Each structure stands twice: as structure tokens, then as C-alpha cells.
Amino acid sequence: MILKELPSSGQKLLIAAGSTRGEGEGYGTGAGDDEDGFLTALDPSTGRLISSGKSNHRIGTAQDDIIAGICNDPNDEESFYVVGASKGDMEDPGSTVSTASRGLEAYVRKNRVSDLGEHWTVQWGATKSTGGTATAVAMECLVNRNGDVYVAGVVQDGASMEGALGSKGGDDIFVALLNGDDGTVKWMVQLGSAGNEHLARGGGLAFDPSEDLVVFGDTDGATRICRQ
């Protein structure tokens, strides 16, 4: 959940994000019984849906889609980000092509505060050298003072992210840096050992005093994780 302000009126609002298969006043209208992400705008003084402006927005495709994290853009009152995973094509939600044969694919979406709609979306898949389905979930995001956004998550079971070097085995953490204006990927790395690495939930990314990125998580592999 993040606190923002409508640029047009100065109204403050809390934006909550999550995933659901249901429908309701705070979640918007779904299509089918697949899981979708949702954005809900609340009045911070009452905890109720905002009375003016758009109070909810549904994010999804014809396949299962989840939102795993949300972060503020401190440089722009009109923008914020959500991250998660999808079995559909989040860059083209109207597409009927499913990525189900490859499993969940990670994505990041930049959104507008005014109507909760989309600025842009970038999605990444993962592949396994042994074949079979691969799962990648974006879980955390963090915006730097230049307006670029870091995205981090987990790619599971020996799979390799698009744009990163191969896995060393087990579950790995991936980190990417994207241009905040248009979503261009500046770089992506996959961090892991022969064991399993997982990103800390609800605080896996932070800046040090020099605004270098710090990644928090856990591993059951080597004490020192190899940077690729």
C-alpha cells in the first residue's frame, strides 16, 4: 500500500494492490474465473473508497495474473509501480496466447495515479535447460532519484531469466534496472548458488546512504552468492 496525492485536486489517497478471483466494489469487474490483479484507491481519513475519481482498476489477461508488490515513484506524484507474474501476455492483455506451457512470467507495470491506468508494462519469461515449465515472479520494486526503477524477484528450480546468465541451480534471485520513462531494460542479473535463494518479502530492496542498491534475502547454498 502506498500514499499518493491526486495532481488535479490535491486529494490524498491510499492505493492498495493485490490479486483475486472474485469481484466486488473495491476490486472491479472480472471476466471468467481466472485470477487478476487489482488496484483500489482509498480515502486515508476514512478507509473507504474515494468518492471522486476512479476507485478501482482490474489488471489482468485471460489467464492467471497476480500482483506481488507495489512501490511509489517519489519523483512523480502521478506515477507508481506494481510487480507480479502472469500466465498471459501483460504487454498485450487482449492476446489469447497463453504462456502456460512456460509457467508464470514476471512483469512490472508503471501506473497513473489519476485513473490507475497503465503507462507501460514489461514482462520477462524464463527457460529451463532441461525443458518443462519455468516460473519467475517479480516481488519488489524501488525507484531511485533519477526516476529509474529496480525490480527484483525469484526464478525457480534452475531456470534462467531472459537477458540474464544461466542458473547455478535451485531457485535464484533476479534484479533488473529499467528506465522509468519507457521501461527500457538497462541491465538484468541473476544471483544464486547451487542451493536456493529467496528474496525477503516486504523489504527485499533498499538503498544505502550512497543510493547503492542493497538486496535482502536468504540462501541455503554457498555463504557468498555469485554475481553473474
Side-chain angles (χ1 to χ4, degrees):
M1 187 175 291
I2 59 171
L3 179 66
K4 297 293 284 187
E5 184 176 295
L6 288 172
S8 59
S9 64
Q11 178 186 2
K12 294 188 182 300
L13 64 160
L14 285 171
I15 301 177
S19 310
T20 183
R21 294 184 185 274
E23 299 181 6
E25 185 181 12
Y27 310 115
T29 302
D33 59 359
D34 60 297
E35 191 166 8
D36 292 327
F38 67 85
L39 299 172
T40 304
L42 305 170
D43 184 332
S45 65
T46 65
R48 298 182 179 277
L49 297 174
I50 59 172
S51 57
S52 61
K54 189 168 184 179
S55 63
N56 63 70
H57 183 68
R58 197 90 168 194
I59 294 178
T61 69
Q63 311 298 326
D64 284 341
D65 317 286
I66 62 171
I67 292 178
I70 184 172
C71 65
N72 184 30
D73 184 347
N75 309 292
D76 182 3
E77 277 299 321
E78 173 61 10
S79 299
F80 66 98
Y81 294 86
V82 294
V83 294
S86 174
K87 286 188 175 180
D89 185 348
M90 292 292 285
E91 296 176 329
D92 181 13
S95 172
T96 59
V97 177
S98 171
T99 63
S101 62
R102 292 175 286 169
L104 286 168
E105 295 190 344
Y107 74 86
V108 54
R109 172 170 290 194
K110 185 176 184 178
N111 306 277
R112 295 182 296 271
V113 173
S114 56
D115 62 358
L116 306 179
E118 175 193 9
H119 279 302
W120 51 257
T121 301
V122 174
Q123 182 169 332
W124 305 279
T127 57
K128 297 173 69 174
S129 60
T130 57
T133 59
T135 295
V137 181
M139 300 164 57
E140 299 279 347
C141 54
L142 187 65
V143 181
N144 65 20
R145 65 170 64 99
N146 296 323
D148 296 332
V149 57
Y150 290 95
V151 177
V154 172
V155 54
Q156 298 178 2
D157 197 22
S160 299
M161 291 294 294
E162 294 176 9
L165 297 180
S167 172
K168 292 185 179 296
D171 298 347
D172 288 342
I173 294 170
F174 70 87
V175 182
L177 178 65
L178 293 82
N179 183 300
D181 292 331
D182 58 13
T184 300
V185 179
K186 295 189 172 186
W187 52 258
M188 176 184 285
V189 295
Q190 188 165 329
L191 310 173
S193 67
N196 296 296
E197 286 71 44
H198 299 115
L199 191 68
R201 296 300 303 265
L205 296 180
F207 291 128
D208 70 8
S210 300
E211 209 181 49
D212 292 323
L213 186 70
V214 180
V215 180
F216 296 91
D218 62 77
T219 178
D220 62 10
T223 302
R224 182 169 180 172
I225 297 175
C226 299
R227 183 170 189 256
Q228 302 177 358

